[in-house]
Amino acid sequence: MSRAVVLKTARDSFVLLLLVLAAIVTLEMLYVLAMGRLAHDLLDIWRKIPFLKDVMRVLVGVNISGDVSATTLTTLGLVHPVLLATSWAFLLTVCTRDITGDIDAGIADLVLTLPLPRAAIYTGTTVVWVVACALFAAAAWCGIALGEQVFHPPEPLVLHRLLIPVVNLCALLLAIGGVSMLVSALSSRRVVAVAIMLAILLASFLVNFLEVFIDQMRYVSFLGFMHYYRPVDAVRTGQWPVGQLAVLLIGGATAWTIGLWRFNRRDIPAV
Amino acid sequence: MYAILTDNLSKSYGRRQALDGVSLRVPTGSRFGFLGPNGAGKTTTIRLLLGLLRATAGSAEVLGGNSWHDGPRLRAQIGYLPGDVRFYDHFTGRRMLAFLAAARGGVADAEIHRLTRQFDLDLNRRIRAYSRGMKQKLGLIQALMHRPRLLILDEPTTALDPLVREVLADELRRVSADGRTVLFSSHTLSEVEDLCDWVAILRDGRLIEQERIETLRLRAVRQVELVFEHDAQAAGASLPPALRILHRGPRSLSGTWTGPPAPLLQWLHGVSLRDIRISPPDLEHLFLAYYEHEPRPAQDPTTPAKVSP
C-alpha cells in the first residue's frame, strides 16, 4: 500500500465525503423528527394504500403493519434513497477513478507509471473507500442518536438495537465497493465502469422490487445486493443477520480479490 | 550497453496488430528519436516499455530489467511524459509535484526549484488555470525532477513555444551529457534532427529503420545544380552513377546526389564549371520515402547490424 496514494485519494474525496456525511446525519435526524410526529398518520396511509405497503416492503424487506415501534420506524431512514444514492455515488466515484486507468479522467498514465506496484494503488484506493463505508454507517447511527437528543421523539429509541442494521449497511456498502473495484479493474473507461455499476445496482433494486409483485422473481432475487439488507427485520427480532452479513462480506471480498488479480495483469491502453 | 533492448516485440488488440516484431536498440546515454506518423505504434511501444501493456510476443528489456515483471523497480529510474499529459485540475502545480515526489519516495527540492526556474512555471496556481503549454511544462518537470536514468518523452514539444523548446533541448543535452538516456517520440523530423543523435522510424507497427542521424545524413539526398563552362558539355558529360539527373539543359544539369560527398567532389574536380550549387543533405526527403514506400520486412532481431554505439 502506498501512503502517497492513500493521502491523494483521501484528499481527492475529502469534500465529497464531508458532503455525504453531512447529508446522512441531517437525513437521519430529520427522519427521527418526522417519525416522531407523523408515525401514526403514516401507518394509517400505508394500511389504506396497499401499493405503498408493498413499496415499503421492497425497501425494508418485511411488511410494516400493526404495531410498530418508533425504533422500527426510524430504521426506515436507513433505506432512504438519499442515503443509498449518496453513499453509492461516493463509492463509484472513488473506486472507478484510478483503477479504470482512464487517461482522461484518472491521469492514470502518471499514477500508473510511478514506481509503485499496481497492488499498492489498488489497496491504497481501497483503504479510503473502506474507511468511508464505516463512516457512512456510523454517520447514519449518529444522525439517529443526535435526532433523538435534539427532537425527543414521543417513544424513546433503542439505539443499541439500531447497531444491527447499521453494521448491515456497512457490509452492504463494502460489498458494493468490492464489486465496483472489480468492474473498474475490468474496464478501460471510467464512464463504462460507472454505467455497469449503475446497471448492477438498478437491477439489484429492480429484482428486489419485482419480487414483491412477481413470485417467480424470488428465484433470482438472491443475486441482488438489497436481498441481503433487511434492516427492519433485524431491528424487530434483535437477531444479527449473520448469513446476510457473511454473503455481503465474502461476496465483496471475493470480487475485490478478483479485481486485484485482474488489475495486476491487465493492459492499460491509451484511450 | 543498451538502455532499451526489445526483441521481436509485438502487440495486438484482437485482430489488430498494433506492433509487429520490433527489435529496438537504444544505446545508453543517447538521445534517441522515435519517429513515425500518427498511429505508427510509437505510443504502444512506449507503453510496453513502461509495463502498462503486456506484449503479445517478444520481450522488452529496460535498464537491464524486464519491462513487465520489474515494472516498479524500473519505473523508479524512468521519467515519463505522456503524450496527452493530464493532472488533477484542483491541485496546484506544487501539490501535484509533491504528490508525485512522495509516491517516488522523495525527490530533491533543489532539482524541482532548478527546473521550475528553467521552465519559468508558477507552481502556486491551480492546474485548472494553467494553459496547455504550462501543463506541458509541469509534465516535463515531473519527468525530469528525480534525475531518471531513462527519460521517455512522448511528443514533448506539443504546445511549447520556441523559447521553451530551447530550454527543453538544453535539458535533454544535459541529461545525455550525464550518461543518461532520452527516448524522444515525435512525428516531426526537424525536432528529432535538432535534438537527437539516433533515430528509429516506425511505420504501421514495424520498425523500418534505426540509425545514427549522422549516418542517415550520408544516405540522404542532396540537390545538385551544375552550370558548365561550354554549351553541349552537359549533354556529353559522363556522370557518376550516384548522380540522378532530373533536368538537363544545353549547359546545365540538375539532379540529386545520394551518399557521401567525396565521390561527387572527385568527379567535379575533372569538370570545368561556371557555377555550382549543392544543398545540405535533405533528411525530410529520406523520411518521406520511408513513410510513403512499402515497409521493409521485419528485421532479424539477431542481427541489429546497423547499431554500433
Side-chain angles (χ1 to χ4, degrees):
Chain A
M1 189 177 68
S2 159
R3 190 168 168 268
V5 172
V6 173
L7 289 175
K8 190 272 299 175
T9 311
R11 278 180 192 151
D12 279 353
S13 328
F14 188 65
V15 174
L16 184 60
L17 179 72
L18 284 184
L19 288 174
V20 175
L21 288 173
I24 292 174
V25 170
T26 309
L27 172 80
E28 298 305 333
M29 286 179 72
L30 290 176
Y31 228 85
V32 173
L33 174 68
M35 285 299 121
R37 290 186 181 173
L38 306 172
H40 188 72
D41 297 338
L42 278 176
L43 284 172
D44 259 1
I45 294 169
W46 290 340
R47 281 189 200 112
K48 284 175 188 162
I49 308 175
F51 177 74
L52 277 183
K53 204 169 73 180
D54 288 339
V55 171
M56 291 315 297
R57 198 178 130 201
V58 167
L59 286 172
V60 299
V62 289
N63 271 321
I64 296 193
S65 54
D67 259 355
V68 285
S69 68
T71 308
T72 310
L73 278 177
T74 307
T75 315
L76 298 180
L78 296 176
V79 290
H80 195 281
V82 171
L83 165 70
L84 299 179
T86 50
S87 53
W88 293 355
F90 179 89
L91 287 177
L92 263 56
T93 304
V94 174
C95 294
T96 58
R97 187 177 283 143
D98 290 333
I99 306 304
T100 51
D102 190 331
I103 191 171
D104 290 321
I107 63 157
D109 270 22
L110 280 187
V111 176
L112 293 173
T113 50
L114 290 168
L116 301 170
R118 289 191 189 179
I121 295 167
Y122 195 87
T123 50
T125 304
T126 301
V127 166
V128 174
W129 64 258
V130 165
V131 169
C133 288
L135 289 175
F136 292 153
W141 189 87
C142 289
I144 294 170
L146 272 173
E148 193 193 26
Q149 290 294 313
V150 174
F151 301 121
H152 305 292
E155 192 186 325
L157 302 176
V158 188
L159 287 174
H160 72 269
R161 192 169 270 201
L162 283 170
L163 284 174
I164 302 172
V166 163
V167 170
N168 202 168
L169 173 66
C170 185
L172 173 78
L173 296 177
L174 289 172
I176 291 171
V179 174
S180 298
M181 292 294 276
L182 169 62
V183 170
S184 301
L186 291 170
S187 313
S188 298
R189 299 299 299 262
R190 189 180 193 190
V191 65
V192 173
V194 170
I196 291 172
M197 274 313 295
L198 286 177
I200 290 173
L201 291 172
L202 186 68
S204 168
F205 222 88
L206 205 62
V207 163
N208 214 48
F209 185 80
L210 293 176
E211 186 191 8
V212 174
F213 303 99
I214 306 169
D215 206 30
Q216 284 79 3
M217 290 305 287
R218 71 175 189 275
Y219 297 115
V220 290
S221 67
F222 72 94
L223 292 170
F225 289 109
M226 300 306 286
H227 185 76
Y228 305 97
Y229 182 51
R230 311 279 184 177
V232 173
D233 212 13
V235 167
R236 268 181 169 174
T237 61
Q239 299 289 312
W240 282 89
V242 178
Q244 293 169 7
L245 290 175
V247 170
L248 288 170
L249 293 175
I250 293 171
T254 306
W256 183 89
T257 309
I258 297 170
L260 173 61
W261 178 83
R262 179 65 192 146
F263 186 60
N264 271 328
R265 284 158 182 77
R266 64 172 277 204
D267 280 348
I268 310 287
V271 288
Chain B
M1 275 294 287
Y2 297 109
I4 297 171
L5 186 64
T6 73
D7 184 15
N8 216 22
L9 193 64
S10 302
K11 178 70 187 172
S12 57
Y13 299 100
R15 283 185 202 160
R16 192 171 73 83
Q17 188 78 26
L19 212 60
D20 186 9
V22 169
S23 296
L24 193 65
R25 271 94 174 118
V26 178
T28 302
S30 63
R31 294 191 302 274
F32 198 98
F34 198 36
L35 266 179
N38 292 329
K42 303 187 297 291
T43 300
T44 299
T45 307
I46 287 173
R47 296 180 86 77
L48 284 162
L49 296 174
L50 290 165
L52 290 174
L53 299 178
R54 200 169 193 169
T56 313
S59 64
E61 210 176 87
V62 178
L63 301 173
N66 180 289
S67 66
W68 179 259
H69 294 109
D70 302 324
R73 183 179 67 77
L74 294 178
R75 288 197 292 268
Q77 305 170 70
I78 296 175
Y80 171 52
L81 174 74
D84 185 15
V85 67
R86 304 282 174 123
F87 299 99
Y88 296 108
D89 278 350
H90 55 290
F91 279 24
T92 62
R94 190 174 306 285
R95 192 167 147 203
M96 188 73 224
L97 290 181
F99 159 63
L100 294 170
R104 290 194 167 277
V107 169
D109 280 347
E111 186 64 4
I112 294 178
H113 291 150
R114 187 188 70 77
L115 288 164
T116 307
R117 268 199 315 275
Q118 286 290 101
F119 285 103
D120 189 24
L121 183 65
D122 179 2
L123 292 179
N124 295 317
R125 286 168 69 177
R126 284 194 189 276
I127 293 171
R128 73 165 63 95
Y130 276 11
S131 67
R132 197 159 166 236
M134 290 165 86
K135 286 180 186 171
Q136 195 73 0
K137 287 181 187 179
L138 185 64
L140 286 165
I141 293 172
Q142 65 80 29
L144 286 157
M145 66 183 182
H146 54 293
R147 298 180 56 79
R149 281 176 64 199
L150 172 62
L151 191 59
I152 298 180
L153 307 175
D154 196 354
E155 304 194 358
T157 54
T158 312
L160 294 183
D161 62 49
L163 287 176
V164 183
R165 284 181 195 210
E166 230 5 84
V167 174
L168 173 63
D170 288 345
E171 278 303 319
L172 298 188
R173 286 184 197 109
R174 174 196 279 257
V175 167
S176 73
D178 285 352
R180 298 182 282 146
T181 310
V182 180
L183 180 69
F184 184 104
S185 156
S186 174
H187 52 75
T188 312
L189 167 68
S190 54
E191 62 185 19
V192 167
E193 209 179 338
D194 287 347
L195 288 171
C196 300
D197 42 16
W198 283 82
V199 67
I201 303 165
L202 209 58
R203 200 192 114 164
D204 296 333
R206 291 179 149 207
L207 189 64
I208 51 176
E209 184 64 88
Q210 57 182 327
E211 190 55 275
R212 275 185 186 279
I213 295 264
E214 278 312 309
T215 313
L216 277 186
R217 282 205 181 102
L218 292 179
R219 297 203 333 240
V221 169
R222 294 164 195 269
Q223 303 294 325
V224 177
E225 285 180 28
L226 306 173
V227 180
F228 292 93
E229 196 68 53
H230 307 291
D231 282 355
Q233 240 185 321
S238 77
L239 305 171
L243 184 61
R244 184 169 161 238
I245 300 301
L246 299 175
H247 175 76
R248 194 187 288 262
R251 288 174 73 170
S252 66
L253 288 176
S254 64
T256 58
W257 177 265
T258 310
L264 176 63
L265 295 175
Q266 206 171 3
W267 175 74
L268 289 171
H269 191 67
V271 182
S272 101
L273 294 173
R274 174 176 291 179
D275 200 0
I276 182 168
R277 194 172 76 83
I278 303 175
S279 73
D282 182 3
L283 280 183
E284 201 74 45
H285 249 81
L286 187 68
F287 283 89
L288 285 176
Y290 280 126
Y291 288 178
E292 284 161 6
H293 298 148
E294 279 301 302
R296 296 174 189 180
Q299 71 211 90
D300 178 359
T302 58
T303 54
K306 288 179 179 166
V307 182
S308 49

